[in-house]
Amino acid sequence: MNGVATATVPTSGATTPAGGGGTGGGGLVTEFAFTLPRGYLDDDGQVHRDGVMRLATARDEIMPLRDPRVRDNEAYLTVLLLSRVITRLGSLTAVTPAVVEGLFAPDLAFLQDLYRRVNQEGHTHAAVTCPSCEHAFTVDVAGGAPGES
């Protein structure tokens, strides 16, 4: 692994490796843990919600463009990109294009947003303001336990 896997990305900017503890050195974070809103339902009826997405490389974005499925349907690029950068999803041994195709629409939208955030902004945070009290705070959009953001 080239970087630090994170369980969540703290608002302080430090990284928390999966398994606990901080790096203290502000190392490059290359993997981001997430929890899907619905979860992938496999053929055995098991739901897989927790996963890890890594930063995309230039190769990840270039190689799918050669795939005939993308030439036939440009929207398929998303399926191939996500299948390349999701390194873990529940207990699945591999995240294939077929797995991504089987995601529920809210989960696909969630992963597309997460991909954009980690590859363009470098983190999974979103600044929000409470509409009632106008208190500003940061949430980790990668998700967590039910009811968390």
Side-chain angles (χ1 to χ4, degrees):
M1 177 168 30
N2 293 335
V4 178
T6 60
T8 59
V9 182
T11 57
S12 66
T15 58
T16 303
T23 63
L28 177 64
V29 178
T30 61
E31 292 189 328
F32 300 84
F34 62 83
T35 301
L36 293 175
R38 299 273 190 257
Y40 171 71
L41 184 62
D42 68 19
D43 293 336
D44 296 325
Q46 184 176 358
V47 177
H48 305 268
R49 291 187 65 216
D50 296 323
V52 176
M53 178 184 291
R54 67 171 172 78
L55 285 176
T57 64
R59 178 180 298 272
D60 291 325
E61 295 204 349
I62 293 169
M63 294 304 290
L65 296 174
R66 296 181 180 172
D67 191 294
R69 294 170 292 187
V70 173
R71 289 190 203 131
D72 292 342
N73 179 0
E74 290 180 14
Y76 202 74
L77 177 62
T78 298
V79 170
L80 294 180
L81 276 172
L82 291 175
S83 70
R84 292 179 68 96
V85 299
I86 299 172
T87 59
R88 184 180 63 78
L89 183 58
S91 62
L92 298 177
T93 56
V95 179
T96 64
V99 168
V100 177
E101 288 175 7
L103 291 170
F104 294 110
D107 291 331
L108 181 63
F110 170 86
L111 289 169
Q112 288 175 305
D113 182 59
L114 184 63
Y115 179 92
R116 182 192 59 77
R117 285 181 184 279
V118 302
N119 286 289
Q120 291 179 4
E121 300 170 15
H123 58 81
T124 60
H125 292 131
V128 296
T129 303
C130 175
S132 298
C133 69
E134 297 185 9
H135 174 72
F137 57 98
T138 303
V139 296
D140 186 345
V141 297
E148 292 182 4
S149 295

